[in-house]
Amino acid sequence: MADNLPADTATRILDAAEALFAEHGFDGASMRMITSQAGVNLAAVNYHFGSKEGLFQEVFHRRLAELNKQRLACLDALEAESAGAAPKPSRVLEAFFGPALEMAADTARGGATFMRLLGRTYTEPAEFIRKFMAVEYAEVVERYTRALYAALPDVPKAEIVWRLHFMMGAVSYAFSGIDALALVTGRFDDDPALLKPRLTAFLLGGLRAPLPDGPEGKSGP
Amino acid sequence: MADNLPADTATRILDAAEALFAEHGFDGASMRMITSQAGVNLAAVNYHFGSKEGLFQEVFHRRLAELNKQRLACLDALEAESAGAAPKPSRVLEAFFGPALEMAADTARGGATFMRLLGRTYTEPAEFIRKFMAVEYAEVVERYTRALYAALPDVPKAEIVWRLHFMMGAVSYAFSGIDALALVTGRFDDDPALLKPRLTAFLLGGLRAPLPDGPEGKSGP
DNA sequence: GTCTATAGGAGGATAGAC
DNA sequence: GTCTATCCTCCTATAGAC
C-alpha cells in the first residue's frame, strides 16, 4: 500500500479497495472511487476480478490466507512443544490473536487498514460475505475450538464457544477502531504496543471467568 | 413492529426502516425498500424526516432515549442504595448492560431488531452517525465511567476505559448476531435467557482481570 | 491487456396536484 | 398530509476501439 515501487494494476486496485471498503463499507465505496484512487480505468475491476463482489472477496482472501496460515503454524508449534499435554489457555489465545494483532500493528504495509475492514465486516452480514468467510475460516476455527476444549476441560463446550464468540467481538471492535467511546471520554492514549497486553489480559479474564449461574439462579441443585 | 393496531405513517416508516437498516445497513437499505415495506409512499420519508439521514437518526433516537434513560435510572438507584460507598463492579455492569439485554430479548416489540442494528452501527463510522451517537451517549458514558473508576480503585483509569471499550465490542457483536462462528461450529444453542448470565460472567471476568505487564515485560522495575 | 464510451437501471430528492 | 410524476445523479457492467 505504502510501497513506492509501481505495483501492477490488480495490486493497485486491491490496495485502494482495501482502504476504501474499510472507510465506507461495501456499498459506500463505489467502483469509481476505487479505480480513480488506484489510478486505473473503471473497467479494470471487472476485467481483473469479474465484479465488485469478486474484488471484495479477493481483498479478504489476500490477507486472510496469510493470517490463517500463521495461526495454524502457531498452533502446530504450540502443540508440538506441549507434546501431548494440553497447552495453557493463555498460549492458545496468544497463538490465535497474536498474528492478528501483529497485522493490526503493521501500518506500513496496510495490515492495520485491513484489520479495520475485517472488524467492520464481521457485522455486515451480506449473504455472499458470510459464505466466503465461512470457507476462509473453517480450518482455523475447527482446530482452535478443539484446542480450547482441551485447554479448559472444566468449562462446558457450549460455554467455550460462546466465549470465543465474545472474544472475537471484543477484538473486532478494538480493530474497527471507531472509538465510539473516545468521542465522549476524550481521546485516550492508544499506543498500539499497549493494545496487545491490554487486550490479552481482558480476553483471558473473560475466558477463564467463573461459570455463570443459570438465568436468575435456575442452575441445577 | 409486530403490533396489529394500525400505526401512523411516521411510526410505520420507523419500524420498517429499523428492520431494513439492521439487515442491509444504511447504504444497502433504499428508501424504496423502506417505504414499500411500510406501505407508504416514497415521498413520505422526506416529508416526515427531511432526508434518509434524518430517518436513520430518528430510528436511533426513538430507542436510545428510552434505553439510556433506563440506564441512568438504574445507576441512580444503585448509588442511592450504596449510600456513598462505591457499588460493586458487577452491579455497575448489570445496571449498564441489563437494560440493553432486556431490549435485545424483546422480540415482540422490535427491541431485538434494534439491538442488532445498534451492534452493527458501532462499526459503521459514517461521519453523521458518529456525531449523533456521541450526543445520545454523552451523559450515560460520563456517569458510568465515573462509577467504574470508583468501583475499581486499584485499576488505572486508562485501563478501565479500554476495558469498557472491549466490553462494548463483545456486547455489540453478541447483539449483531451474525454468528460468524456459528457457520463453522454448527448452530450452537442460543436461548436468549442464557445469553445474559453468560455475557455477564464473561464481561466481569474481563473487567476484573489481573493487570497486564507492559508490552513484552517492559513494565516498571 | 487496457482504454473509451455507453448502456441500463436504481438511487435520493422535489414540485405540484389532490 | 399524502400521492404521482419526474429530475438528475450515480451506480455496475459491458461492448468494442486501440
Side-chain angles (χ1 to χ4, degrees):
Chain A
M1 188 187 178
D3 276 357
N4 22 24
L5 299 166
D8 67 1
T9 302
T11 304
R12 303 244 302 285
I13 293 174
L14 285 173
D15 291 341
E18 186 171 79
L20 288 166
F21 283 142
E23 193 175 345
H24 301 106
F26 180 74
D27 293 292
S30 73
M31 284 176 46
R32 285 177 161 79
M33 288 185 205
I34 294 166
T35 51
S36 83
Q37 173 155 328
V40 305
N41 189 271
L42 176 58
V45 168
N46 285 313
Y47 178 74
H48 285 282
F49 303 101
S51 66
K52 191 185 184 183
E53 290 194 0
L55 169 59
F56 192 76
Q57 184 164 346
E58 188 55 35
V59 165
F60 279 85
H61 181 71
R62 177 174 69 153
R63 301 277 187 186
L64 285 181
E66 172 63 20
L67 183 62
N68 285 334
K69 207 179 73 180
Q70 284 179 30
R71 282 173 164 158
L72 291 176
C74 287
L75 188 53
D76 285 339
L78 183 56
E79 288 177 344
E81 181 189 320
S82 326
K88 285 170 55 177
S90 63
R91 302 294 305 278
V92 179
L93 281 195
E94 210 168 302
F96 187 79
F97 291 111
L101 284 159
E102 263 172 48
M103 187 173 273
D106 177 16
T107 49
R109 285 182 314 165
T113 304
F114 174 72
M115 292 308 296
R116 262 193 308 139
L117 174 58
L118 183 60
R120 150 171 208 154
T121 304
Y122 280 134
T123 61
E124 261 187 36
E127 190 62 21
F128 83 97
I129 297 178
R130 302 177 43 159
K131 278 256 178 66
F132 75 74
M133 292 284 256
V135 174
E136 207 76 59
Y137 270 99
E139 189 181 357
V140 163
V141 170
E142 202 269 328
R143 295 258 334 255
Y144 271 89
T145 44
R146 269 198 287 129
L148 284 176
Y149 291 165
L152 296 159
D154 296 335
V155 183
K157 293 184 177 182
E159 196 71 35
I160 290 177
V161 173
W162 272 101
R163 288 179 179 188
L164 190 50
H165 197 212
F166 298 147
M167 286 190 285
M168 295 202 48
V171 174
S172 299
Y173 189 70
F175 287 158
S176 74
I178 343 92
D179 302 358
L181 282 179
L183 284 171
V184 179
T185 58
R187 200 79 183 79
F188 49 88
D189 97 79
D190 57 348
D191 179 356
L194 290 175
L195 176 60
K196 183 171 178 173
R198 285 183 159 143
L199 188 52
T200 306
F202 176 84
L203 295 177
L204 202 58
L207 181 62
R208 293 192 299 204
L211 288 178
D213 306 329
E216 315 303 330
K218 263 197 261 168
S219 67
Chain B
M1 188 187 178
D3 275 358
N4 22 23
L5 299 167
D8 67 359
T9 302
T11 304
R12 304 244 303 283
I13 293 173
L14 285 172
D15 290 341
E18 187 172 77
L20 288 166
F21 284 142
E23 192 175 346
H24 302 107
F26 180 73
D27 293 292
S30 73
M31 284 177 46
R32 285 174 165 82
M33 288 186 207
I34 293 165
T35 51
S36 83
Q37 173 153 331
V40 303
N41 189 271
L42 175 59
V45 168
N46 284 308
Y47 177 75
H48 286 282
F49 304 101
S51 67
K52 191 185 184 183
E53 290 194 359
L55 168 59
F56 192 77
Q57 183 164 346
E58 188 54 33
V59 166
F60 279 84
H61 181 70
R62 177 174 69 153
R63 300 276 187 186
L64 286 181
E66 173 62 21
L67 183 63
N68 285 335
K69 207 179 73 178
Q70 283 178 31
R71 282 173 164 158
L72 291 175
C74 287
L75 188 53
D76 285 339
L78 184 56
E79 288 178 342
E81 179 188 322
S82 326
K88 285 170 56 178
S90 63
R91 302 293 305 276
V92 178
L93 281 196
E94 210 168 303
F96 187 79
F97 290 111
L101 285 159
E102 263 172 49
M103 188 174 273
D106 176 17
T107 48
R109 286 183 313 167
T113 304
F114 175 72
M115 292 309 294
R116 263 195 306 139
L117 173 58
L118 183 61
R120 163 177 194 145
T121 304
Y122 280 134
T123 61
E124 262 188 34
E127 190 63 20
F128 83 96
I129 297 178
R130 303 177 42 160
K131 279 255 177 65
F132 76 74
M133 292 283 257
V135 174
E136 208 76 59
Y137 270 99
E139 189 181 357
V140 163
V141 170
E142 203 268 328
R143 294 258 335 254
Y144 271 90
T145 44
R146 270 198 287 130
L148 284 175
Y149 291 165
L152 296 159
D154 295 336
V155 182
K157 293 184 177 182
E159 197 69 36
I160 290 177
V161 173
W162 273 101
R163 289 180 178 187
L164 191 51
H165 197 212
F166 297 146
M167 286 190 285
M168 294 201 51
V171 174
S172 300
Y173 189 71
F175 287 158
S176 74
I178 342 92
D179 302 358
L181 283 178
L183 283 171
V184 179
T185 57
R187 201 77 182 79
F188 49 88
D189 97 78
D190 57 348
D191 179 355
L194 290 174
L195 176 60
K196 183 170 178 174
R198 284 182 161 145
L199 187 53
T200 306
F202 177 85
L203 295 177
L204 202 58
L207 181 62
R208 293 191 298 203
L211 288 178
D213 306 331
E216 315 303 328
K218 263 196 260 168
S219 67

